[in-house]
Structure formats: C-alpha cells, structure tokens
Amino acid sequence: MTEIGFYHLTRSKLQEALPKLLGRVLDAGGRGFILCADAERARALDAALWLPADPPWLPHGLAGGEHDAAQPLLIADQDIPPANGARFLVLVDGAASARLAEYDRVLDLFDGGDEAAVAAARARWVAAKEAGHSLTYWQQTARGWEKKASHPPAS
C-alpha cells in the first residue's frame, strides 16, 4: 500500500510550492520522480527548479538524458519506471500514474483555484481509496501546509 498525499494549492503556484516539497524529499535521503501532464510543463519545471531561493539548489534533470540514473530528481511527461530509482512520485497538473503501488510515497499537487483541477483531484482520491492506498489531505494555510482530516479535497 502506498501513502498518497493530496496537496491543495491555495496560496501559491506550483513553481513556488514544489521546491520546498522536493527539498524535503532530498533532505530525507530520497529520490523523486516528477510526472507532468505534458512535455511543455516538464520543460518549464526543469527551468524553474534551477531558480528557487529555498532550497537554493535542487539537483535534477529531464528524463531521457544519459545521466538519468544519477539524478536525485527526475522530471518526465510519461508514466515510465524512474531510471533514478525514485521511491517518491510527485504528480502535477493532473498527471496520473498506473504505477502508484511501485512508490513508497506519492505527492499529488493540484490547483485549488481551478474547479476542473479540484474535481479531477477528487476523482483521483476516490480511485486511490478504492485501490486500498493510504490517503492524506494537505492544504496550504498562512502557516504552511496543514494536514486536514482524511477526507477528499474540498473546493
């Protein structure tokens, strides 16, 4: 059973919230696989992850390079086995994976200002629950990420 955390972005954009979450993955000694809905978003995140102030540096690369296995963080737009051996999967922009059970932890980030994104997150929650995964719901607050009761994302 995989632990899946749904992260409801209500106070910042993905490019602002993602670096801190990825920093936590690296601080825990983990490797991450970031799955994007399309190649354009993957390229944009690749560029954005070179610029964050906190943490100041996130070693990463786009999937398909010769050094994929060495990348602590690997960004892709296809649901493929992570060449870097990642045990953390990060889903962005509604990306879905048929490989959830292959990871120890999944972080599903969605935009709370987009009704379609919230509805899609609810559907992913239901599917993950039916598949027997352990689910948590996190929402951005003025104090940072706050764990809410285990229930589907609200609008």
Side-chain angles (χ1 to χ4, degrees):
M1 171 183 359
T2 299
E3 181 181 342
I4 302 174
F6 286 80
Y7 289 79
H8 191 163
L9 296 164
T10 59
R11 301 184 65 83
S12 64
K13 297 292 182 196
L14 175 69
Q15 299 90 305
E16 299 161 351
L18 186 59
K20 288 185 181 184
L21 292 170
L22 293 175
R24 291 179 186 169
V25 169
L26 295 177
D27 287 347
R31 287 175 169 251
F33 187 72
I34 300 101
L35 182 58
C36 302
D38 58 54
E40 182 178 335
R41 174 57 116 178
R43 286 189 301 274
L45 278 181
D46 177 46
L49 291 179
W50 290 116
L51 305 173
D54 183 23
W57 187 62
L58 290 168
H60 69 280
L62 281 172
E66 66 179 275
H67 302 290
D68 284 2
Q71 297 294 345
L73 301 170
L74 196 57
I75 304 167
D77 64 342
Q78 296 178 30
D79 188 20
I80 56 176
N84 66 347
R87 302 302 306 148
F88 290 83
L89 172 64
V90 180
L91 301 171
V92 300
D93 294 336
S97 174
R99 303 173 180 281
L100 298 177
E102 297 174 18
Y103 294 90
D104 296 333
R105 178 111 167 87
V106 175
L107 292 75
D108 186 323
L109 284 74
F110 63 98
D111 182 354
D114 179 338
E115 277 295 316
V118 173
R122 284 187 191 121
R124 290 191 305 275
W125 174 283
V126 170
K129 186 172 186 168
E130 288 174 354
H133 297 293
S134 173
L135 308 179
T136 55
Y137 169 60
W138 298 83
Q139 187 175 54
Q140 279 183 320
T141 68
R143 296 182 309 239
W145 289 106
E146 186 175 307
K147 185 177 180 181
K148 301 291 187 173
S150 294
H151 58 75
S155 54

